[in-house]
Amino acid sequence: MAINTADWPYHLRIPIDYVPSSVTAGQVLTVTEATIEKMPLALQNLFWSKVKNGGGDLRVCENVDGSGQLPIEVVLCDTVSKKLIVWVRIASFDGSNVLHLFFKNDSASALPVANTYGQYAVWQDFEAVYHFRSPDPLVDATSNVRHLNSVGNATFNDGVIDSHNDFNNRLVATGYNGITGDVDRTVTFLSNPTQNSDYGITTWGASADRERWSVYFDNGAFRTEIQSSYHYTNSWTGDGNFKRFTSILSGNTFPLNHSLRINGTEITDTRKGSDRTVDTNIGADVIVNGFDNFLGDQFGGEELKELWYRAEAISPSKDKVETTNQTNEPDFYGVPSVFYGSEEIRAFTGAVSLSTTTVGESYKRSMLTANASISASTAGSFLKRVSVKAVAKIKAMVSGQATKKVPLAGSSSIKATTHATASKKSILSGVTAIKTFLTSRFYNKADNVETHTITIQGQLRESIEVKGFVNTNRN
């Protein structure tokens, strides 16, 4: 399927710098404002000024011609705060992929969640997905619609669950029994625990016979427990920074076939309980950030950004891809390029300044001089050439002339034009001005710095006032 690029004149070309250890299938990636912020400020502002607030016009394709449309979920696109969260699914990921993010279609609206390229298609391989820092933090993003409900005094604010001191204050996905039976499973979440963190991430199952699956922190140790057996890190794992924690079962024996990964790295320094065959069909609701009174957990103000359930044991390569993308996005992607149609829009990345000076005053007929200079540098710029314009304004002139003092080193010359002259009598009734324009166009060179000066001289009765501004145009 392809979009009609005539309806989407602008797009970002987002290269991927990360190369996985092996090809991954059904790879879900995120693009946030961290990637947008890699561009020059002028291009960032262009993007935020053209994209729709809410991101209803955003589309992602594999190819610049709009073909190879990819499923996306736009969680957040706030053009005021300049915040962006987009999830996209790539059928086969090998690191050579390029994302083309199309925007600026005034007639486009958000894709329906059940659309072929909509939200449900992004999470087609997942049992449940929760974006805890989204406008709808308790809504399951998958087509399974296993939404969470707040029970008791549990409140939610920007990823933090407050008033959560016991089992009576929790978030519950009613009717979802978790990943049951002896199938492979993966539970993944992003959080920022501390050394003393002691709280539950998720649990499901009956507490009476303890036939449940629980993922939690035990005094800073990352821990999974099932049917009273356990597997947890031997030392605390929290330093208050966000990390990606993954609990994976790749067979029907726990903890023999279970692994714990933190930021994509398997933890081998662990403690394990007795082996158990995972064959129970657990029949209780899933509870997020809550255990029963037996475990007596307390959520201490840490944050959850994401929580994902999958009925598969994800590969180390996929886990590492997701970890790098979610925890180190600026290094995962290269610098985006902005295009209008097939033309790349470039931004001047050098420095431009305009300086103006007044030399002396005259109350008779002596000559008075004002200088306006422009200095432009393209050091570090990726442009081939830059057009820089400046204007200097001289006030209160009886008569005057503009003279060229320094030739341009670029491809065009200075043009100084006298727009107005005045007799002595006219000074009494108002102020006139001569405007002189200085234009510089030069090819980009390493450490290219050029300074040009226009000097204006005339017979004046008042002091000279010089004002100026600089416009920089890409070319």
Side-chain angles (χ1 to χ4, degrees), residues 21-320:
S21 58
S22 61
V23 177
T24 61
Q27 185 66 68
V28 176
L29 302 176
T30 185
V31 178
T32 74
E33 70 277 357
T35 296
I36 304 300
E37 290 167 358
K38 297 187 69 171
M39 299 189 297
L41 182 59
L43 297 183
Q44 294 180 43
N45 292 336
L46 175 66
F47 172 78
W48 293 116
S49 68
K50 299 298 183 182
V51 69
K52 272 189 174 181
N53 193 39
D57 60 338
L58 291 176
R59 301 292 187 269
V60 178
C61 300
E62 291 182 292
N63 304 308
V64 69
D65 62 358
S67 62
Q69 187 174 355
L70 299 173
I72 64 169
E73 180 193 10
V74 181
V75 174
L76 180 66
C77 181
D78 189 330
T79 59
V80 178
S81 64
K82 298 182 179 179
K83 298 295 183 181
L84 180 71
I85 303 175
V86 177
W87 295 94
V88 57
R89 184 183 189 272
I90 300 175
S92 180
F93 177 74
D94 61 8
S96 66
N97 313 73
V98 175
L99 301 180
H100 297 274
L101 180 65
F102 290 86
F103 59 100
K104 183 51 180 173
N105 184 337
D106 295 335
S107 62
S109 57
L111 293 169
V113 293
N115 185 277
T116 303
Y117 303 103
Q119 173 182 314
Y120 290 166
V122 176
W123 307 107
Q124 60 188 270
D125 305 314
F126 293 73
E127 297 293 309
V129 171
Y130 304 104
H131 308 304
F132 289 118
R133 299 190 74 181
S134 72
D136 298 307
L138 305 185
V139 172
D140 176 16
T142 76
S143 60
N144 298 315
V145 294
R146 289 160 173 160
H147 304 325
L148 293 170
N149 299 296
S150 179
V151 176
N153 295 321
T155 59
F156 202 85
N157 182 27
D158 197 24
V160 178
I161 301 176
D162 301 315
S163 301
H164 185 82
N165 298 315
D166 57 40
F167 184 65
N168 294 318
N169 301 308
R170 62 195 188 276
L171 303 176
V172 177
T174 303
Y176 176 38
N177 306 137
I179 304 160
T180 59
D182 61 359
V183 298
D184 293 347
R185 66 196 69 192
T186 301
V187 176
T188 306
F189 60 95
L190 289 172
S191 189
N192 59 342
T194 63
Q195 181 173 353
N196 298 318
S197 289
D198 189 21
Y199 63 91
I201 298 300
T202 185
T203 187
W204 61 88
S207 60
D209 54 10
R210 302 180 69 185
E211 291 181 351
R212 61 172 172 258
W213 180 283
S214 302
V215 180
Y216 61 104
F217 286 99
D218 184 0
N219 289 319
F222 179 34
R223 179 166 179 154
T224 298
E225 181 174 335
I226 185 169
Q227 297 170 237
S228 75
S229 188
Y230 56 82
H231 184 201
Y232 62 95
T233 55
N234 199 37
S235 58
W236 69 277
T237 57
D239 56 9
N241 295 317
F242 273 99
K243 295 182 176 66
R244 178 183 155 100
F245 297 89
T246 306
S247 173
I248 303 173
L249 184 67
S250 56
N252 66 352
T253 303
F254 177 88
L256 178 65
N257 302 121
H258 182 260
S259 61
L260 297 167
R261 295 180 190 159
I262 301 176
N263 278 352
T265 300
E266 184 170 357
I267 306 301
T268 57
D269 182 16
T270 61
R271 298 181 185 181
K272 295 184 178 182
S274 302
D275 289 342
R276 305 267 185 183
T277 300
V278 183
D279 57 3
T280 56
N281 187 16
I282 299 172
D285 297 336
V286 156
I287 300 169
V288 176
N289 277 98
F291 283 148
D292 55 32
N293 289 320
F294 175 79
L295 292 173
D297 83 300
Q298 181 173 353
F299 191 69
E302 293 85 352
E303 288 186 56
L304 273 179
K305 285 186 178 180
E306 297 286 327
L307 178 59
W308 297 355
Y309 298 87
R310 278 180 276 204
E312 65 169 320
I314 66 170
S315 68
S317 179
K318 178 177 284 191
D319 190 41
K320 194 68 175 180

Side-chain angles (χ1 to χ4, degrees), residues 393-413:
K393 185 177 182 181
I394 310 294
K395 287 186 176 180
M397 302 198 68
V398 177
S399 62
Q401 59 181 0
T403 58
K404 179 174 64 177
K405 292 295 184 181
V406 180
L408 272 178
S411 60
S412 62
S413 61

Side-chain angles (χ1 to χ4, degrees), residues 314-377:
I314 66 170
S315 68
S317 179
K318 178 177 284 191
D319 190 41
K320 194 68 175 180
V321 171
E322 293 174 356
T323 294
T324 307
N325 175 236
Q326 295 169 23
T327 64
N328 191 17
E329 183 183 339
D331 288 343
F332 187 87
Y333 296 111
V335 178
S337 304
V338 185
F339 287 83
Y340 180 78
S342 60
E343 179 185 358
E344 182 176 358
I345 301 175
R346 299 179 179 271
F348 179 69
T349 57
V352 176
S353 63
L354 175 70
S355 61
T356 56
T357 59
T358 302
V359 183
E361 290 186 351
S362 173
Y363 295 95
K364 296 183 180 180
R365 291 183 175 276
S366 59
M367 299 294 288
L368 188 61
T369 301
N371 295 321
S373 300
I374 181 171
S375 177
S377 170

